[in-house]
Amino acid sequence: MLEVNDIVTAYGKIEALKGVSLSVPEGQITVLLGPNGAGKTTTLMSVAGLLKPKRGSVTFEGQDITGRQPGTIVQRGIALVPENRLVFPDMNVHDNLKTGAYVRNDNEIESDIESIYERFPRLKERYHQHAGTLSGGEQQMLAVARALMARPKLMLMDEPSLGLAPMIVEEIFRIIHDLNQEGTSIFLVEQNANMALKIAHQFYLLEQGLVTFSGTPGDMDENEVIQRAYLGTTA
Amino acid sequence: MIDFIQNTLDGITIGAGYALLAIGFTLIFGVLRRLNLAYGPSIMIGVFLGTFIYLHFDAGWLPVAIATVIGAILAGIYVERMCFWAIKEGAALASMVSTFAIWMQLEELVTVIFPERTYKFPTLGEMDYLEFAGLEMRAEHLIMLGIAVLMVGLLHVLLYRTRFGLSVRAVSENPAAARFMGINTGRVIFRAFILASAIGGVAGFLLVATDPTVTPKFGLQATFKGLIAMMLGGMGSIPGAIAGGVLLGIVERHMQAEFGAIMRDMAAYALLFLFLIFRPGGIMAQGVAAREAAALRRV
């Protein structure tokens, strides 16, 4: 579904990705693990059109989307749940959801919001509250719901467990699992290797801007995965 | 007592004009997080275009008003392209300094084309004073107040009921998150600039039409009044801009009545200093400044 072919993405002269290739098959959960600074977020940004790769290509459903505008990419069916959630704090929950549907111009947006509320009753209870007043877990839920408003075929998720209590993390992962069961493909970036491997169909290990391993969760000893995901091979 | 109420009433009217200026400032600051000092001078371009139409075609107030708004929009686009689009984000200081340069440029342009010191501007017509319970109000002041209230109402609908408004609010709150939603932030900024310039054009027309002389110093006055009113209210907050504008108008009018015209501007600066020292976030003390402080705490 999503093919990333040998992309190089740089911040000025520093290459954060030094030729990353990976593929996200339709209907699956693909996890990208790796230590801080390995280039995980940069990979997502390069897919979502927020960073332009210097080299290489990104194709989605067989079409080249390298360097396209973020709006075009969302319209094609790729939505992003950003790191740290980034909900709009002074907007109420309802308006936050509407921003997720910004690229759409059909008239089913309000009915989609209703089904979001059925799925996340906590958001319905707080629909008129400013997002900044929600708890961390509720904000994460809102960030996921907001991305769903784009009706994505593929969801990019950047560390959804970051800064959340273990119980909330489990809930978020259950939501991710459910979404996938309903047919949304997931490309998940995580530090929490433990949790991520439980729901992953396949995973990649990214270290210092290069993919150093790819396989299914059973392919590598879990302790080694965890060590490399947190610390990298050099440790 | 009756004088006090009368002065307050007059202050509110002038303050409505300042409030519109401050709203324009705050809209631009909201989406850009950068200060546009050339906002007043670009409104001045509109005012001079209005004067030009008035003097050469003997036009009535409506064509002059339209010309003023168009002139302000065109100058606003010029400022946006030069100081904000061409200079990339992150270089906030470079943008601000360049708006100062454009300010000087626009002022120079006007003094070359219009060499005399003052020019006439149409009034909203010969109108009577309205009297009520010993208070009086110039009819054109009442019109000015009415238009300002109408503008605020329209702006509220635009910001809270339309897709464009949603995108402006999203970019003001978090430009990165707005981009993630597929919002083209550059386009939103450009359109917000046009909107702010149009509001500024209306404010400029109203302020000049109630005091029908035009000078190249109008740009300076508009920038100062708008900037002070915005900072009194709280940067990036529209309710704050309204409150700041009205407060500034009232204080100015009282100071003028008590101590004469010289004290009027002194009072405006003194008020700003008091706020910067004792309530730096402004009356609303939320808006962008407080939000950024809160964001830092969360991280």
Side-chain angles (χ1 to χ4, degrees):
Chain A
M1 174 176 234
L2 179 76
E3 301 286 340
V4 174
N5 308 308
D6 197 26
I7 56 168
V8 175
T9 304
Y11 297 96
K13 280 184 178 161
I14 301 157
E15 289 183 351
L17 303 183
K18 299 164 183 157
V20 168
S21 298
L22 48 84
S23 74
V24 177
E26 188 164 1
Q28 295 202 349
I29 297 178
T30 304
V31 171
L32 184 61
L33 300 170
N36 279 331
K40 302 187 300 291
T41 297
T42 306
T43 306
L44 287 190
M45 296 292 133
S46 306
V47 171
L50 296 145
L51 291 172
K52 218 174 187 153
K54 252 171 47 179
R55 237 186 40 219
S57 70
V58 180
T59 60
F60 180 62
E61 295 185 312
Q63 286 182 309
D64 189 0
I65 56 164
T66 324
R68 289 301 190 95
Q69 288 292 319
T72 315
I73 292 174
V74 178
Q75 244 166 355
R76 294 272 176 93
I78 302 180
L80 175 78
V81 181
E83 191 176 356
N84 287 319
R85 311 180 270 277
L86 300 189
V87 294
F88 298 106
D90 286 349
M91 254 186 222
N92 64 31
V93 167
H94 199 86
D95 284 353
N96 263 279
L97 292 174
K98 283 206 291 203
T99 61
Y102 180 78
V103 299
R104 286 170 53 182
N105 39 28
D106 54 279
N107 48 20
E108 290 168 13
I109 292 172
E110 284 300 325
S111 64
D112 276 14
I113 292 181
E114 281 311 311
S115 38
I116 291 277
Y117 285 156
E118 271 168 44
R119 171 177 215 120
F120 305 108
R122 285 246 285 289
L123 294 183
K124 182 172 189 170
E125 285 165 28
R126 307 191 191 298
Y127 78 97
H128 64 279
Q129 272 186 27
H130 284 195
T133 66
L134 303 183
S135 71
E138 288 163 347
Q139 287 189 15
Q140 187 63 59
M141 224 177 259
L142 178 58
V144 173
R146 183 178 63 175
L148 279 176
M149 285 302 297
R151 290 189 171 174
K153 298 171 196 159
L154 169 67
M155 275 242 259
L156 311 176
M157 307 182 105
D158 199 350
E159 303 218 22
S161 72
L162 195 71
L164 298 179
M167 235 173 68
I168 314 284
V169 171
E170 284 202 22
E171 192 176 348
I172 296 293
F173 274 88
R174 196 162 49 240
I175 291 168
I176 298 170
H177 177 78
D178 289 350
L179 286 174
N180 177 248
Q181 292 288 304
E182 291 158 29
T184 311
S185 313
I186 309 276
F187 185 29
L188 174 67
V189 159
E190 259 303 338
Q191 279 266 335
N192 191 337
N194 230 337
M195 285 297 293
L197 288 178
K198 280 184 194 154
I199 58 167
H201 293 103
Q202 55 155 356
F203 76 99
Y204 289 86
L205 204 55
L206 190 69
E207 293 173 277
Q208 296 177 13
L210 287 168
V211 172
T212 53
F213 183 84
S214 75
T216 57
D219 287 353
M220 191 195 266
D221 176 60
E222 194 163 332
N223 287 326
E224 195 193 341
V225 178
I226 288 167
Q227 195 187 21
R228 283 170 69 176
Y230 282 102
L231 305 165
T233 348
T234 46
Chain B
M1 186 61 203
I2 199 88
D3 280 351
F4 185 85
I5 299 173
Q6 179 70 55
N7 285 329
T8 305
L9 199 61
D10 292 346
I12 291 173
T13 325
I14 294 296
Y18 294 164
L20 288 182
L21 289 176
I23 287 172
F25 254 114
T26 225
L27 271 176
I28 294 173
F29 183 77
V31 291
L32 277 166
R33 308 291 160 86
R34 288 185 269 177
L35 214 47
N36 174 20
L37 294 175
Y39 183 59
S42 55
I43 297 169
M44 174 196 65
I45 295 293
V47 170
F48 270 92
L49 190 65
T51 301
F52 180 81
I53 301 277
Y54 176 59
L55 293 177
H56 287 263
F57 303 101
D58 197 25
W61 68 268
L62 188 61
V64 170
I66 292 169
T68 304
V69 171
I70 289 174
I73 290 175
L74 291 177
I77 290 173
Y78 173 64
V79 172
E80 197 270 343
R81 291 287 106 171
M82 295 293 283
C83 306
F84 297 100
W85 179 75
I87 295 173
K88 289 301 161 207
E89 63 188 302
L93 198 59
S95 274
M96 197 176 85
V97 172
S98 68
T99 61
F100 191 68
I102 298 283
W103 171 348
M104 293 300 127
Q105 188 195 32
L106 294 178
E107 212 171 279
E108 204 60 34
L109 177 78
V110 161
T111 44
V112 168
I113 300 175
F114 298 90
E116 282 167 50
R117 196 172 287 171
T118 60
Y119 287 86
K120 280 177 105 83
F121 204 75
T123 58
L124 292 167
E126 293 295 314
M127 274 184 256
D128 291 334
Y129 282 83
L130 304 174
E131 281 180 49
F132 176 76
L135 298 169
E136 55 186 26
M137 199 171 187
R138 278 159 67 189
E140 66 242 51
H141 274 175
L142 198 64
I143 293 173
M144 179 165 157
L145 198 58
I147 292 176
V149 171
L150 184 72
M151 294 282 292
V152 169
L154 286 175
L155 184 67
H156 185 86
V157 171
L158 190 67
L159 285 179
Y160 287 90
R161 295 272 180 277
T162 70
R163 187 165 172 268
F164 167 67
L166 188 71
S167 68
V168 169
R169 286 188 293 139
V171 174
S172 302
E173 285 202 27
N174 194 327
R179 268 195 291 275
F180 294 155
M181 299 304 111
I183 295 171
N184 184 334
T185 49
R187 195 181 300 160
V188 172
I189 288 168
F190 183 70
R191 290 177 184 171
F193 234 91
I194 291 178
L195 176 65
S197 301
I199 294 170
V202 173
F205 173 80
L206 292 173
L207 286 167
V208 179
T210 49
D211 174 23
T213 53
V214 181
T215 78
K217 288 286 161 234
F218 180 78
L220 174 88
Q221 286 160 4
T223 286
F224 275 1
K225 304 296 184 193
L227 196 58
I228 291 173
M230 170 176 79
M231 294 178 79
L232 292 180
M235 290 166 85
S237 156
I238 287 177
I242 298 167
V246 172
L247 177 69
L248 181 63
I250 292 172
V251 169
E252 273 192 6
R253 181 50 69 125
H254 280 295
M255 293 306 279
Q256 185 177 2
E258 289 291 322
F259 307 106
I262 302 167
M263 283 306 291
R264 194 182 66 181
D265 289 341
M266 297 274 281
Y269 303 130
L271 190 64
L272 178 63
F273 268 109
L274 286 177
F275 263 81
L276 288 177
I277 292 165
F278 294 109
R279 200 174 164 81
I283 297 167
M284 292 297 155
Q286 36 179 4
V288 174
R291 191 154 54 230
E292 267 165 11
L296 282 176
R297 277 200 302 278
R298 273 200 297 277
V299 171

